[in-house]
Amino acid sequence: MDELAKEVNMHGVLRGLVVMGALLLMAAFAQNKVIMGVSIPAADHGWTAGIVYWANQTKGELEKKYPGIQVIVKTAKDASEQANQIQDLVTVNKINTLVILPYESAPLTKPVAAAKAKGVFVTVVDRGLTDPNAQDAYVAGDNPGLGRVSAEYMAKQLGGKGNIVILRGIPTVIDNQRYDAFMEVMKKYPGIKVLDQKYANWNRDDGFKVMQDFLTRFKQIDAVWAQDDDIAVGVLKAIDEAKRTDIKFVLGGAGMKEMIKKVMDGDKLITADVTYPPRMIQDAMMLTAEARVTGKPMKTPTIIPSVLVTKENAKEYYFPDSPF
């Protein structure tokens, strides 16, 4: 009987160890489970509409690729709402990973830093924070590259001679990087004269108004650097209404599907585009998820090159189902 009792007792101990091991594994899984918050601006213009589209597309892809991962996408109409959403993601949704494209840099720096201080892994996309220590990783498009590629294309198309006007974005670090890189290239082409440059706020209506002013003041404009496809839409409208025929081409940027289609179709004024894809949010989410699931360090910064889109390669950058 003693031997039988010992055997029964041993079986009980083994079962207990198995159950304990299972519980520890479950606890470890729960502890390591990736709960990713994705905080982005609402679709208030074409580019951010693309950001929202690709974020939601990628949520589904990630949850399919990594069973158990949870992705929560939140959109905000302003910086204040975004700051409140981050706090909710941390306290209510218990996220341990945050991918954020800040509405504005300065107002979002402290809320993001607070999340990081609580152990949340933070990847910032596109619009950098005022304190880089508030992030673990950074993913963005190549803003200096966008300016450089744009300038090189314009100079080549103009044969190094002509009058151009520039419509800039919003007074930000991003805009400065694009403009400074563009002007650095233009130093090599003294035959190209920049008649004027003004901010158009990455906005169609402002692009229209600024271009109307340029058309009134300057009788000979050979080319327009609109920097952004939303601005370019307003520029084209102003040129059309003024019935001006002196402008050889308009160069925007970011890869709006309507502009890429114009390039594909051989449009007279939209002969090329330069990428600054809203799809970068997908890259950021994918890279962050991989790093969090595998435990491997994430490369930072990750800069996505700006590519010149011409009739020859436009099909590769045409996404008809995207809102942008």
Side-chain angles (χ1 to χ4, degrees), residues 118-188:
K118 290 180 180 178
V120 176
F121 183 94
V122 176
T123 298
V124 173
V125 186
D126 186 46
R127 301 170 189 172
L129 299 171
T130 54
D131 180 8
N133 293 319
Q135 68 196 29
D136 293 286
Y138 180 63
V139 178
D142 185 359
N143 287 287
L146 187 147
R148 186 170 56 253
V149 170
S150 298
E152 288 168 352
Y153 176 78
M154 293 192 82
K156 182 179 178 181
Q157 292 299 109
L158 291 170
K161 296 178 183 178
N163 295 331
I164 68 171
V165 291
I166 298 172
L167 291 87
R168 301 179 63 173
I170 293 170
T172 56
V173 172
I174 287 174
D175 177 83
N176 290 339
Q177 289 175 337
R178 294 179 181 184
Y179 177 75
D180 291 347
F182 183 92
M183 295 304 292
E184 191 64 30
V185 172
M186 284 301 163
K187 287 179 182 178
K188 303 173 188 175

Side-chain angles (χ1 to χ4, degrees), residues 196-250:
D196 200 0
Q197 52 89 13
K198 282 190 175 182
Y199 291 106
N201 304 311
W202 293 319
N203 180 279
R204 298 180 184 199
D205 292 337
D206 290 344
F208 176 72
K209 291 171 188 173
V210 172
M211 193 62 200
Q212 274 189 321
D213 172 62
F214 286 160
L215 291 168
T216 301
R217 290 164 49 212
F218 305 116
K219 299 306 175 189
Q220 178 63 40
I221 299 173
D222 294 295
V224 181
W225 184 39
Q227 198 206 82
D228 175 83
D229 288 333
D230 275 307
I231 295 174
V233 171
V235 168
L236 292 174
K237 183 182 176 186
I239 293 170
D240 182 60
E241 288 190 6
K243 297 185 174 12
R244 289 282 288 265
T245 58
D246 50 317
I247 297 157
K248 296 178 177 68
F249 63 95
V250 175

Side-chain angles (χ1 to χ4, degrees), residues 12-152:
V13 171
L14 288 171
R15 278 199 300 271
L17 288 171
V18 169
V19 170
M20 186 180 294
L23 289 171
L24 286 170
L25 282 171
M26 288 173 66
F29 177 78
Q31 187 177 9
N32 295 326
K33 180 183 176 183
V34 177
I35 305 174
M36 178 188 290
V38 180
S39 177
I40 52 180
D44 54 7
H45 67 285
W47 194 80
T48 49
I51 288 286
V52 173
Y53 171 83
W54 284 110
N56 284 303
Q57 285 280 106
T58 309
K59 166 184 162 67
E61 291 177 28
L62 283 176
E63 290 176 342
K64 185 177 179 181
K65 183 176 181 180
Y66 301 111
I69 193 173
Q70 183 182 359
V71 181
I72 304 155
V73 178
K74 296 277 188 182
T75 61
K77 67 180 185 299
D78 55 35
S80 177
E81 183 178 26
Q82 191 174 30
N84 290 334
Q85 285 178 355
I86 291 167
Q87 189 173 11
D88 286 346
L89 284 167
V90 174
T91 58
V92 178
N93 300 107
K94 308 294 183 186
I95 64 167
N96 51 28
T97 306
L98 175 66
V99 176
I100 176 170
L101 197 160
Y103 199 97
E104 294 175 41
S105 300
L108 271 305
T109 298
K110 279 191 177 180
V112 173
K116 185 173 184 288
K118 290 180 180 178
V120 176
F121 183 94
V122 176
T123 298
V124 173
V125 186
D126 186 46
R127 301 170 189 172
L129 299 171
T130 54
D131 180 8
N133 293 319
Q135 68 196 29
D136 293 286
Y138 180 63
V139 178
D142 185 359
N143 287 287
L146 187 147
R148 186 170 56 253
V149 170
S150 298
E152 288 168 352

